[in-house]
Amino acid sequence: MRMSRYFLPVTKETPAHAEIISHQLMLRTGMIKQHSAGIYSWLPLGLKVLQKIEAIVRQEQNRSGALEVLMPTMQGADLWRESGRYDAYGAEMLRITDRHERDLLFGPTAEEVVTDIFRNHVRSYKELPLNLYNIQWKFRDEVRPRFGVMRGREFLMKDAYSFDLDETGARDAYRKMFLAYLKTFQRLGLKAVPMRADTGPIGGDLSHEFLVLAPTGESGVYYDAIYDETDWASLDISFDNTPKARAARAETVDRIVKAYAATDEIHDEVRFNAEVTPDRRRTGRGIEVGHIFFFGTKYSAPMHAKVVGPDGKDCLVQMGSYGIGVSRLVGAIIEASHDEHGIIWPDAVAPYDVGIISLRAGDSLVDGTCEQAYQTLLNAGLDPLYDDRDDRPGAKFATMDLIGVPNQLIVGPKGLVAGLVEVKDRKSGAKVEMPLESALACLSTKAPA
Ligand code: ATP
Ligand code: MG
């Protein structure tokens, strides 16, 4: 992309109403534009990051064996009356009436819709296990939408729903998601700690939240230092449905959740002090980016979602649900990765891989070199952002750092006299001078996997 052709409405001023850094930076970089309270338009830079996150979430869901569907945003109230949640859900549900006076709602979650799909199409236990997910916009009329996309009213969620014949199967489905989540957040460049959680209005007896540590997080967190020390990348996970793979998943998850980790909602100080030695106690704040539940027959019972079991008898299906806040993750990543100059995107979600900064647009040698670099990087499969505008170098450096492009190639007339360009690492700020060929060879290795 050439900056001269891009739509990047960057601003210098920090918006007064934005309380936390991620919200400020998302507005300043022109990633989003507030439409009304808790509702945003995603502009090109923001959308690009959102889509990169979405793609990683999707890949890891697919890898775990979950199947993607797309359920409606507008849901009929009758299904929710069947489950008993139409009245129970409260003011967060946006209720709408259509021209035929039929009650609709903008889905805040999709247990009812997916259970209805299941009961219409699945008959036998032989079709299980089944996990259906979608990445779809949700609406919750939050009392206090705030912190930008972190607590919006309209937000993008990945929600998966598992169906199993019995509780043993359902617990395995839960563990698959648990492990897929560790992998997902690790690939996004985040440290997300799985914490025991309250099951809340959805109910059930097994639930974990995944929290990204950040001082601006809404939850207080208490955990064993082991979670800081573990690298989930080294987890060797098989999602096969063989007894061996199931046993390995149970062993792995049990080992991970054995160590203490809880949010303030259910934190038990006595247990914390008894189970974790003082030097290993960690406390702080965290942002909930994922939440998984096992809730058995909470929906299948009232909605009569059954399969014929191996004994020929009807059996209520055992369910779980698994959410990831895809749009919230954009803010969470910024909270976890920024400095005084702006955003520092982890490579995997960076909107552009390399920023090319021309220090003198209009100089034929500089223009030619930048053009050559731009084409070479494109051909190498990278996504470069070329600042070809006729602007001050200082302003260009500031913009590239603000929007967080991880690798930068700086091309100026003085360097070119000696045959040199500069390569800068956004995170460390380190700059190295080298010939163009070496710079391009070095940058070409940065193509994300
Ligand atoms: P919270 O406790 O933050 O209100 P929740 O427990 O109500 O969230 P879930 O129903 O578990 O949320 O939804 C799954 C995920 O969707 C959450 O883990 C979170 O990442 C995201 N999410 C929930 N509410 C919002 C919101 N208002 N804005 C952005 N993301 C949200
Ligand atoms: Mg939750």
Side-chain angles (χ1 to χ4, degrees), residues 209 288 290-291 293:
E209 289 176 349
E288 181 194 321
H291 197 162
F293 299 91

Side-chain angles (χ1 to χ4, degrees), residues 211-221 223 264 283-287:
L211 283 104
V212 170
L213 306 171
T216 48
E218 292 184 294
S219 315
V221 297
Y223 63 98
D264 43 14
T283 60
R285 303 205 66 79
I287 302 164

Side-chain angles (χ1 to χ4, degrees), residues 91-92 139-145 151-153 155 328:
E92 272 187 22
F139 194 94
R140 294 183 186 175
D141 205 355
E142 302 272 356
V143 202
R144 217 150 77 83
R151 183 164 298 283
R153 292 199 295 163
F155 60 97
R328 177 179 288 183

Side-chain angles (χ1 to χ4, degrees), residues 225-299:
I226 191 149
Y227 290 104
D228 281 341
E229 295 154 3
T230 314
D231 177 10
W232 313 119
S234 61
L235 278 181
D236 182 20
I237 307 160
S238 159
F239 290 102
D240 290 350
N241 289 321
T242 59
K244 184 164 171 260
R246 276 199 202 103
R249 285 192 289 271
E251 186 274 319
T252 308
V253 174
D254 291 351
R255 178 165 45 81
I256 295 169
V257 302
K258 206 170 64 203
Y260 190 94
T263 65
D264 43 14
E265 275 179 41
I266 59 158
H267 172 60
D268 178 345
E269 192 71 18
V270 177
R271 250 197 75 194
F272 188 46
N273 292 338
E275 291 177 19
V276 190
T277 55
D279 58 312
R280 304 191 57 80
R281 284 177 209 150
R282 298 286 178 275
T283 60
R285 303 205 66 79
I287 302 164
E288 181 194 321
V289 290
H291 197 162
I292 60 179
F293 299 91
F294 163 65
F295 46 73
T297 60
K298 184 176 157 91
Y299 300 92

Side-chain angles (χ1 to χ4, degrees), residues 224-430:
D224 188 314
I226 191 149
Y227 290 104
D228 281 341
E229 295 154 3
T230 314
D231 177 10
W232 313 119
S234 61
L235 278 181
D236 182 20
I237 307 160
S238 159
F239 290 102
D240 290 350
N241 289 321
T242 59
K244 184 164 171 260
R246 276 199 202 103
R249 285 192 289 271
E251 186 274 319
T252 308
V253 174
D254 291 351
R255 178 165 45 81
I256 295 169
V257 302
K258 206 170 64 203
Y260 190 94
T263 65
D264 43 14
E265 275 179 41
I266 59 158
H267 172 60
D268 178 345
E269 192 71 18
V270 177
R271 250 197 75 194
F272 188 46
N273 292 338
E275 291 177 19
V276 190
T277 55
D279 58 312
R280 304 191 57 80
R281 284 177 209 150
R282 298 286 178 275
T283 60
R285 303 205 66 79
I287 302 164
E288 181 194 321
V289 290
H291 197 162
I292 60 179
F293 299 91
F294 163 65
F295 46 73
T297 60
K298 184 176 157 91
Y299 300 92
S300 58
M303 295 183 69
H304 310 290
K306 295 175 186 162
V307 289
V308 177
D311 56 2
K313 292 198 184 108
D314 275 358
C315 178
L316 286 174
V317 73
Q318 298 278 333
M319 294 175 60
S321 76
Y322 315 90
I324 290 184
V326 178
S327 50
R328 177 179 288 183
L329 272 166
V330 181
I333 292 171
I334 299 173
E335 287 297 323
S337 184
H338 66 269
D339 64 11
E340 68 274 25
H341 304 297
I343 304 168
I344 303 173
W345 291 115
D347 289 344
V349 301
Y352 291 94
D353 303 315
V354 181
I356 304 173
I357 298 178
S358 158
L359 296 185
R360 193 175 296 161
D363 175 300
S364 61
L365 186 56
V366 174
D367 286 352
T369 307
C370 287
E371 197 62 42
Q372 185 193 342
Y374 183 60
Q375 294 303 337
T376 307
L377 293 171
L378 280 176
N379 293 338
L382 280 97
D383 197 0
L385 177 62
Y386 169 20
D387 195 343
D388 56 344
R389 297 167 307 170
D390 184 14
D391 202 352
R392 287 182 306 111
K396 290 188 176 185
F397 291 138
T399 301
M400 214 50 104
D401 281 356
L402 181 70
I403 67 173
V405 181
N407 308 288
Q408 301 170 16
L409 178 70
I410 302 159
V411 182
K414 283 204 202 95
L416 285 182
V417 171
L420 299 173
V421 296
E422 251 182 343
V423 174
K424 177 177 156 186
D425 177 69
R426 166 68 183 89
K427 190 168 184 183
S428 67

